[in-house]
Amino acid sequence: HTEEGHEAEAAHQDEQAHPPVVHVDGKAYNLIPHYTLNEPTSWFDFSITKNVFGMLLAAIVLLLIFVTVGNRAKKSKGQAPTGIQNFMEPFFTFIRDEVAIPMIGEKHYERFLPFIMTLFFFILVCNMIGLIPFFPGSANITGNIAVTLTLAVITFLVTNFNGNKHYWEHTLWMPGVPAPLKLLILTPVEVLGLIIKPFSLMIRLFANITAGHIIILSLVGLIFLFGNDGESAGGAAAGAAIAIPFTLFMNLIELVVAFIQAFVFAMLSASYIGAAVEEGHHHDEAHH
């Protein structure tokens, strides 16, 4: 409301009407008008990125598949599976018999089987979407460290919230060990291990998926490198002759990696959960 304020507002309105101009190589370019905090500004951006769209798509695809398979399994109970149920059941059986039961144990595996299944299939579908070079793919979902961090944190929370007395006792204050040794060495190492486990999950998935995409991007870049950014058609053709077969080969390897990384993430998560819910009598007998 002061005279200086009115002058500043008048200058700002004049800037909006006549934006500043800069001259470069004899050409005039209008600069973006200056914005101040006095103007209404939105500080939140809820727009959907490719990765967010890819994750939503993966969730929708999995919901459709799981609901369809579940309904068919209920209707055809006791009968041989067909169609998509026949295609999906080996995956379920494999994760149950080779991951959940060995890692978590017969007593507790059913509680965590839905979580392990969800991890495996969600990561697998996200990896597969990232291999599609056109819509709805091209989103490097699991190559985004924020995504792998979130998955690792969820595993960390599930593991530690379900940890039993035996798990926390052997993590924070191991029985049968001198107190100074526990306080100075073992307990700090065990607590650090609680953080290192999800960190390793995050880095392993992110690094393996990102590495494959970087190699494919480098191979495609040979077309532009040999073509001198469009100046040499022959060079671009030579680059394409090298890049295309190697890119197809790398995509096949990435397809295998998509399955392997989903399996490894699910298996390690199951092993961490299994250690947290494991009964203590075996270890107690060993101590005796």
Side-chain angles (χ1 to χ4, degrees), residues 45-56 139 144:
D45 183 6
F46 294 103
S47 57
I48 300 299
T49 63
K50 286 197 300 182
N51 285 339
V52 173
F53 174 78
M55 286 187 285
L56 292 174
N144 186 323

mmCIF file of all heavy atoms in Angstrom, residues 45-56 139 144:
data_model
loop_
_atom_site.group_PDB
_atom_site.id
_atom_site.type_symbol
_atom_site.label_atom_id
_atom_site.label_comp_id
_atom_site.label_asym_id
_atom_site.label_seq_id
_atom_site.Cartn_x
_atom_site.Cartn_y
_atom_site.Cartn_z
ATOM 1 N N ASP A 45 2.094 -30.636 -8.205
ATOM 2 C CA ASP A 45 1.941 -31.149 -9.557
ATOM 3 C C ASP A 45 1.546 -32.615 -9.469
ATOM 4 O O ASP A 45 2.348 -33.458 -9.091
ATOM 5 C CB ASP A 45 3.253 -30.984 -10.340
ATOM 6 C CG ASP A 45 3.121 -31.441 -11.787
ATOM 7 O OD1 ASP A 45 1.986 -31.776 -12.194
ATOM 8 O OD2 ASP A 45 4.134 -31.458 -12.501
ATOM 9 N N PHE A 46 0.300 -32.894 -9.778
ATOM 10 C CA PHE A 46 -0.207 -34.258 -9.692
ATOM 11 C C PHE A 46 -0.363 -34.885 -11.073
ATOM 12 O O PHE A 46 -1.158 -35.803 -11.249
ATOM 13 C CB PHE A 46 -1.553 -34.281 -8.963
ATOM 14 C CG PHE A 46 -1.460 -33.881 -7.524
ATOM 15 C CD1 PHE A 46 -1.866 -32.623 -7.114
ATOM 16 C CD2 PHE A 46 -0.956 -34.756 -6.585
ATOM 17 C CE1 PHE A 46 -1.781 -32.245 -5.785
ATOM 18 C CE2 PHE A 46 -0.865 -34.387 -5.246
ATOM 19 C CZ PHE A 46 -1.274 -33.132 -4.847
ATOM 20 N N SER A 47 0.368 -34.393 -12.032
ATOM 21 C CA SER A 47 0.291 -34.953 -13.380
ATOM 22 C C SER A 47 0.863 -36.375 -13.380
ATOM 23 O O SER A 47 1.729 -36.717 -12.581
ATOM 24 C CB SER A 47 1.055 -34.086 -14.377
ATOM 25 O OG SER A 47 2.401 -33.932 -13.985
ATOM 26 N N ILE A 48 0.362 -37.206 -14.290
ATOM 27 C CA ILE A 48 0.753 -38.610 -14.369
ATOM 28 C C ILE A 48 1.981 -38.751 -15.262
ATOM 29 O O ILE A 48 1.948 -38.374 -16.432
ATOM 30 C CB ILE A 48 -0.402 -39.468 -14.920
ATOM 31 C CG1 ILE A 48 -1.617 -39.351 -14.015
ATOM 32 C CG2 ILE A 48 0.024 -40.921 -15.044
ATOM 33 C CD1 ILE A 48 -1.404 -39.825 -12.616
ATOM 34 N N THR A 49 3.047 -39.288 -14.708
ATOM 35 C CA THR A 49 4.251 -39.542 -15.496
ATOM 36 C C THR A 49 4.152 -40.914 -16.157
ATOM 37 O O THR A 49 3.230 -41.696 -15.882
ATOM 38 C CB THR A 49 5.502 -39.497 -14.602
ATOM 39 O OG1 THR A 49 5.416 -40.560 -13.634
ATOM 40 C CG2 THR A 49 5.603 -38.160 -13.876
ATOM 41 N N LYS A 50 5.115 -41.215 -17.021
ATOM 42 C CA LYS A 50 5.122 -42.524 -17.673
ATOM 43 C C LYS A 50 5.254 -43.648 -16.663
ATOM 44 O O LYS A 50 4.609 -44.696 -16.795
ATOM 45 C CB LYS A 50 6.282 -42.602 -18.683
ATOM 46 C CG LYS A 50 6.067 -41.825 -19.958
ATOM 47 C CD LYS A 50 7.024 -42.264 -21.049
ATOM 48 C CE LYS A 50 8.471 -42.072 -20.637
ATOM 49 N NZ LYS A 50 9.396 -42.450 -21.726
ATOM 50 N N ASN A 51 6.079 -43.448 -15.661
ATOM 51 C CA ASN A 51 6.259 -44.498 -14.657
ATOM 52 C C ASN A 51 4.992 -44.718 -13.839
ATOM 53 O O ASN A 51 4.625 -45.866 -13.539
ATOM 54 C CB ASN A 51 7.423 -44.149 -13.730
ATOM 55 C CG ASN A 51 8.770 -44.358 -14.384
ATOM 56 O OD1 ASN A 51 8.887 -45.089 -15.355
ATOM 57 N ND2 ASN A 51 9.791 -43.716 -13.865
ATOM 58 N N VAL A 52 4.317 -43.633 -13.465
ATOM 59 C CA VAL A 52 3.073 -43.763 -12.711
ATOM 60 C C VAL A 52 2.020 -44.464 -13.568
ATOM 61 O O VAL A 52 1.312 -45.365 -13.103
ATOM 62 C CB VAL A 52 2.571 -42.387 -12.246
ATOM 63 C CG1 VAL A 52 1.191 -42.500 -11.609
ATOM 64 C CG2 VAL A 52 3.549 -41.770 -11.256
ATOM 65 N N PHE A 53 1.926 -44.063 -14.829
ATOM 66 C CA PHE A 53 0.970 -44.717 -15.725
ATOM 67 C C PHE A 53 1.304 -46.195 -15.883
ATOM 68 O O PHE A 53 0.407 -47.051 -15.890
ATOM 69 C CB PHE A 53 0.992 -44.029 -17.093
ATOM 70 C CG PHE A 53 0.141 -44.720 -18.125
ATOM 71 C CD1 PHE A 53 -1.233 -44.568 -18.124
ATOM 72 C CD2 PHE A 53 0.720 -45.524 -19.083
ATOM 73 C CE1 PHE A 53 -2.024 -45.210 -19.067
ATOM 74 C CE2 PHE A 53 -0.051 -46.165 -20.034
ATOM 75 C CZ PHE A 53 -1.432 -46.013 -20.027
ATOM 76 N N GLY A 54 2.591 -46.508 -16.012
ATOM 77 C CA GLY A 54 3.004 -47.900 -16.156
ATOM 78 C C GLY A 54 2.645 -48.726 -14.933
ATOM 79 O O GLY A 54 2.190 -49.877 -15.059
ATOM 80 N N MET A 55 2.836 -48.163 -13.724
ATOM 81 C CA MET A 55 2.489 -48.894 -12.509
ATOM 82 C C MET A 55 0.979 -49.091 -12.383
ATOM 83 O O MET A 55 0.517 -50.154 -11.959
ATOM 84 C CB MET A 55 3.046 -48.163 -11.286
ATOM 85 C CG MET A 55 4.552 -48.314 -11.125
ATOM 86 S SD MET A 55 5.169 -47.622 -9.572
ATOM 87 C CE MET A 55 5.098 -45.877 -9.948
ATOM 88 N N LEU A 56 0.212 -48.063 -12.729
ATOM 89 C CA LEU A 56 -1.241 -48.212 -12.711
ATOM 90 C C LEU A 56 -1.699 -49.264 -13.711
ATOM 91 O O LEU A 56 -2.587 -50.077 -13.420
ATOM 92 C CB LEU A 56 -1.905 -46.866 -13.020
ATOM 93 C CG LEU A 56 -1.760 -45.771 -11.966
ATOM 94 C CD1 LEU A 56 -2.347 -44.464 -12.472
ATOM 95 C CD2 LEU A 56 -2.437 -46.176 -10.670
ATOM 96 N N ALA A 139 8.302 -47.118 -20.447
ATOM 97 C CA ALA A 139 8.472 -46.573 -19.099
ATOM 98 C C ALA A 139 9.399 -47.504 -18.322
ATOM 99 O O ALA A 139 9.049 -48.655 -18.070
ATOM 100 C CB ALA A 139 7.125 -46.451 -18.397
ATOM 101 N N ASN A 144 13.691 -47.019 -12.105
ATOM 102 C CA ASN A 144 13.549 -45.795 -11.316
ATOM 103 C C ASN A 144 13.809 -46.154 -9.856
ATOM 104 O O ASN A 144 13.086 -46.963 -9.268
ATOM 105 C CB ASN A 144 12.144 -45.221 -11.501
ATOM 106 C CG ASN A 144 11.974 -43.866 -10.830
ATOM 107 O OD1 ASN A 144 12.505 -43.618 -9.755
ATOM 108 N ND2 ASN A 144 11.229 -42.990 -11.472
#
